[in-house]
Amino acid sequence: MARQSISFTKPNDEWLKSQVDSQEYSSKSELVNDLVRQARKQQAQIDWIRAKLEKAEKSGFTSDGKDEILKQSKALLNGSL
């Protein structure tokens, strides 16, 4: 595992400490790694949505209603399709 040295602003450091103190996480490192995982997952979803929007813009119109489009999108995001 790569070891890093990072600095936090006082409010961010206090928040990190409070999360560890509340036993939500066992260490600041665990918390920061979890936040990075969440950010990576969110970025992957944003990239997926952006790619789908670009593809849709190039493909033209659809006869599917908004409910069906939303259902399909959620299923794809959750890996169900």
Side-chain angles (χ1 to χ4, degrees):
M1 189 175 296
R3 200 166 171 85
Q4 302 289 320
S5 175
I6 58 175
S7 300
F8 296 106
T9 62
K10 186 173 181 174
N12 287 345
D13 188 51
E14 289 173 359
W15 182 81
L16 289 167
K17 285 179 186 177
S18 74
Q19 296 301 300
V20 173
D21 290 345
S22 71
Q23 298 181 346
E24 186 73 25
Y25 294 91
S26 62
S27 68
K28 287 183 188 179
S29 292
E30 181 186 352
L31 173 54
V32 170
N33 273 307
D34 188 42
L35 292 171
V36 170
R37 275 191 294 275
Q38 289 176 38
R40 290 173 61 199
K41 182 178 179 181
Q42 183 181 33
Q43 187 61 54
Q45 290 175 340
I46 290 168
D47 293 345
W48 179 86
I49 291 169
R50 183 174 286 124
K52 288 294 184 181
L53 287 171
E54 288 173 1
K55 182 179 177 185
E57 286 176 347
K58 292 175 184 174
S59 70
F61 293 96
T62 180
S63 59
D64 293 342
K66 65 180 180 178
D67 292 333
E68 182 60 27
I69 293 170
L70 181 60
K71 179 181 171 185
Q72 290 173 7
S73 298
K74 286 181 178 180
L76 285 169
L77 278 173
N78 293 327
S80 301
L81 289 178

